[in-house]
């Protein structure tokens, strides 16, 4: 077991906010170690560069700030959406899917810097501590993990502000009403809100809370049509314009937010055991899920599609609980990706008042055959007499069961 004195250098997942600014100082004092900061730009906004100035002011020598938006969407978000993953019927896993990428890069930096430990600012009540640390241990089994919230005696925001004042840590105090009271997490896939008045699951969130989308009531009265092009299960173009993965999600967020798409208010079951109420905005992801299921509907074999649907809740739970690097998730991903080879084509959607409505789908690999299902003359494509034997054979066990009961 590594002791405090054995830690000479630690890599900290650093946002520049109150929590991680305090953790930076706390690590230096408690472990008497050098701290390397890592800030991942996953599309959360302009606070990324603010982190650099704060790290410099904190005396940090090695500062990593990296634009990881393309890798995030290409290697994490898109594979997850090939699975149509959704946790407990509603949550599109926006926070969950970002953690393994951050953990991976932190271990790479730790190896490059010769660091002894990695540290994060997740609390001991939530899922993120699990997700980060599962990632750390999966990629570097002997790494020392420092989770300050499980070690220090700071238990409230007041405690943290007092600590900051005592140690000369600058705290940005915005004018009353200008700073969100919610605990928020944002990346290209979503933005989440927890805490404050949301801790009462009966309280409706105020309209002022939402950042990315208008309310459905305030959305345009005229619907907007868009066309998405798929190649091997991933969107490669919007309205005929080729785009990178991050560009796709950025544009779908803009379109979805404009039309009030992607807001949810849920109570979810955390991995650590408690129930938690959270609100999420996932405009682009909501459109992606609807469109992907539409293109699969004409390109996937029935049983392959149904098996995917049966496996999806397990896959989603793996992502939610932090098992991205586990063998079972990687095994399932191989199977899912195999099904996507012929998931190619176009999906036509109507965006209107909080809804993403599929109005068309087409593919050169489509399994939909109009001759087989037409109500008009199918010119011999399907012999309806064949259905009689099919029904009798499949009803045989039902008939035998009924006879046995008499």
């Amino acid at each position: 077991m590594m002791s405090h004195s054995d830690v000479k250098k630690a890599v900290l997942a650093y946002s520049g906010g109150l929590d991680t600014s305090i953790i930076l100082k706390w690590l230096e004092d408690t472990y008497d170690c050098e701290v390397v900061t890592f800030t991942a730009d996953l599309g959360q906004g302009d606070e990324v560069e603010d982190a650099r100035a704060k790290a410099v002011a904190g005396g940090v020598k090695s500062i990593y700030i990296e634009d990881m938006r393309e890798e995030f969407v290409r290697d994490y978000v898109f594979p997850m959406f090939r699975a149509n993953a959704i946790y407990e019927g509603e949550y599109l896993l926006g926070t969950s899917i970002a953690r393994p990428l951050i953990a991976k890069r932190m271990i790479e930096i730790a190896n490059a810097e010769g660091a002894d430990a990695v540290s994060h600012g997740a609390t001991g009540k939530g899922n993120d501590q699990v997700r980060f640390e599962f990632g750390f241990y999966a990629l570097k089994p002997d790494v020392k993990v420092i989770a300050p919230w499980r070690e220090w005696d700071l238990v409230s925001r007041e405690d943290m502000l007092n600590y900051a004042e005592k140690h000369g840590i600058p705290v940005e105090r915005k004018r009353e009403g200008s700073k969100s009271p919610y605990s928020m997490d944002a990346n290209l896939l979503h933005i989440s809100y927890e805490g404050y008045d949301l801790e009462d699951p009966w309280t409706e969130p105020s309209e002022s809370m939402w950042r990315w989308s208008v309310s459905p009531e305030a959305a345009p009265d005229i619907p907007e049509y868009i066309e998405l092009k798929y190649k091997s299960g991933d969107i490669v173009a919007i309205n005929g314009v080729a785009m990178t993965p991050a560009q796709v999600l950025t544009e779908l967020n803009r379109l979805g937010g404009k039309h009030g798409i992607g807001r949810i208010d849920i109570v979810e079951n955390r991995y650590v055991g408690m129930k938690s109420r959270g609100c999420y905005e996932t405009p682009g992801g909501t459109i992606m899920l609807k469109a992907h299921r539409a293109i699969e509907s004409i390109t996937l074999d029935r049983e392959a599609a149904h098996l995917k649907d049966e496996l999806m809740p397990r896959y989603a739970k793996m992502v939610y609980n932090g098992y991205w690097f586990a063998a079972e998730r990687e095994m399932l991903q191989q199977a899912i990706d195999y099904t996507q080879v012929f998931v190619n084509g176009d999906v036509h959607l109507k965006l209107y008042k909080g809804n993403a409505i599929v109005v068309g789908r087409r593919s050169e690999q489509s399994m939909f055959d109009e001759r087989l299902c037409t109500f008009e003359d199918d010119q011999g494509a399907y012999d309806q007499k064949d259905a009689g034997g099919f029904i009798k054979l499949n009803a045989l066990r039902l008939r035998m069961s009924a006879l046995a009961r008499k």
Side-chain angles (χ1 to χ4, degrees), residues 210-333:
W210 306 100
R211 298 293 182 90
W212 284 6
S213 62
V214 301
S215 69
E217 297 93 332
D221 293 328
I222 299 173
E224 182 170 358
Y225 289 84
I226 63 171
E227 190 173 296
L228 307 182
K229 179 170 288 295
Y230 277 87
K231 183 176 181 181
S232 298
D234 296 336
I235 300 169
V236 295
I238 300 176
N239 295 331
V241 179
M243 296 184 182
T244 67
Q247 289 171 340
V248 164
L249 192 46
T250 300
E251 176 63 4
L252 291 180
N253 280 334
R254 184 189 71 82
L255 291 165
K258 172 184 174 182
H259 290 278
I261 293 167
R263 293 182 179 186
I264 61 168
D265 177 346
I266 62 174
V267 174
E268 67 201 60
N269 289 291
R270 287 182 180 172
Y271 194 24
V272 294
M274 69 186 73
K275 289 184 181 291
S276 171
R277 194 267 188 97
C279 293
Y280 301 92
E281 283 177 284
T282 320
T286 301
I287 296 170
M288 284 170 55
L289 179 65
K290 178 76 78 166
H292 188 256
R293 293 197 66 94
I295 193 65
E296 281 192 327
S297 72
I298 60 171
T299 56
L300 274 195
D301 167 77
R302 180 189 70 188
E303 294 305 314
H306 289 184
L307 183 57
K308 274 191 77 213
D309 281 348
E310 291 173 22
L311 294 171
M312 183 279 289
R314 293 193 63 178
Y315 179 103
K317 189 163 70 171
M318 290 174 203
V319 177
Y320 185 86
N321 291 345
Y323 290 96
W324 183 260
F325 296 112
E328 65 271 25
R329 201 284 309 175
E330 293 176 342
M331 179 187 76
L332 262 187
Q333 193 72 59

Side-chain angles (χ1 to χ4, degrees), residues 1 11 13-14 34 114 153 162 188 222 226 240 261 266 281 315 383:
M1 179 71 70
V11 178
Y14 182 74
E34 178 186 347
D153 56 1
N162 290 337
L188 266 184
I222 299 173
I226 63 171
I261 293 167
I266 62 174
E281 283 177 284
Y315 179 103
D383 188 347

Side-chain angles (χ1 to χ4, degrees), residues 55 78 96 152 155 204 225 229 271 291 380 396:
F78 272 13
S96 315
W152 64 23
V155 297
E204 180 180 2
Y225 289 84
K229 179 170 288 295
Y271 194 24
L396 181 58

Side-chain angles (χ1 to χ4, degrees), residues 82-309:
R82 287 179 220 136
N84 299 321
I86 187 165
Y87 181 69
E88 295 188 336
E90 294 190 88
Y91 176 40
L92 287 169
L93 299 161
T95 295
S96 315
I97 194 59
R99 299 323 187 208
L101 173 57
I102 295 171
K104 178 180 79 76
R105 187 63 188 130
M106 287 179 67
I107 293 300
E108 290 170 349
I109 292 170
N111 290 336
E113 290 278 343
D116 314 291
V118 289
S119 182
H120 61 78
T123 75
K125 287 187 175 182
N127 296 306
D128 278 345
Q129 59 181 336
V130 181
R131 296 165 182 154
F132 279 130
E133 294 177 37
F134 279 4
F136 296 150
Y137 290 130
L139 300 172
K140 192 176 177 68
D142 58 347
V143 71
K144 165 73 173 176
V145 176
I146 303 172
W149 279 99
R150 303 203 300 259
E151 294 186 28
W152 64 23
D153 56 1
L154 306 177
V155 297
S156 68
R157 182 172 176 81
E158 185 178 355
D159 287 346
M160 299 184 76
L161 290 171
N162 290 337
Y163 184 97
E165 184 177 359
K166 178 181 177 182
H167 293 279
I169 300 169
V171 176
E172 189 174 335
R173 295 180 182 272
K174 298 187 179 180
R175 65 183 181 275
E176 189 69 24
S178 67
K179 185 172 176 61
S180 172
Y182 301 99
S183 173
M184 296 161 56
D185 177 75
N187 58 50
L188 266 184
L189 182 54
H190 88 159
I191 183 168
S192 66
Y193 309 88
E194 291 182 318
Y196 191 52
D197 56 355
L198 299 181
E199 292 181 355
D200 177 359
W202 183 252
T203 300
E204 180 180 2
S206 66
E207 183 58 33
S208 63
M209 180 190 75
W210 306 100
R211 298 293 182 90
W212 284 6
S213 62
V214 301
S215 69
E217 297 93 332
D221 293 328
I222 299 173
E224 182 170 358
Y225 289 84
I226 63 171
E227 190 173 296
L228 307 182
K229 179 170 288 295
Y230 277 87
K231 183 176 181 181
S232 298
D234 296 336
I235 300 169
V236 295
I238 300 176
N239 295 331
V241 179
M243 296 184 182
T244 67
Q247 289 171 340
V248 164
L249 192 46
T250 300
E251 176 63 4
L252 291 180
N253 280 334
R254 184 189 71 82
L255 291 165
K258 172 184 174 182
H259 290 278
I261 293 167
R263 293 182 179 186
I264 61 168
D265 177 346
I266 62 174
V267 174
E268 67 201 60
N269 289 291
R270 287 182 180 172
Y271 194 24
V272 294
M274 69 186 73
K275 289 184 181 291
S276 171
R277 194 267 188 97
C279 293
Y280 301 92
E281 283 177 284
T282 320
T286 301
I287 296 170
M288 284 170 55
L289 179 65
K290 178 76 78 166
H292 188 256
R293 293 197 66 94
I295 193 65
E296 281 192 327
S297 72
I298 60 171
T299 56
L300 274 195
D301 167 77
R302 180 189 70 188
E303 294 305 314
H306 289 184
L307 183 57
K308 274 191 77 213
D309 281 348

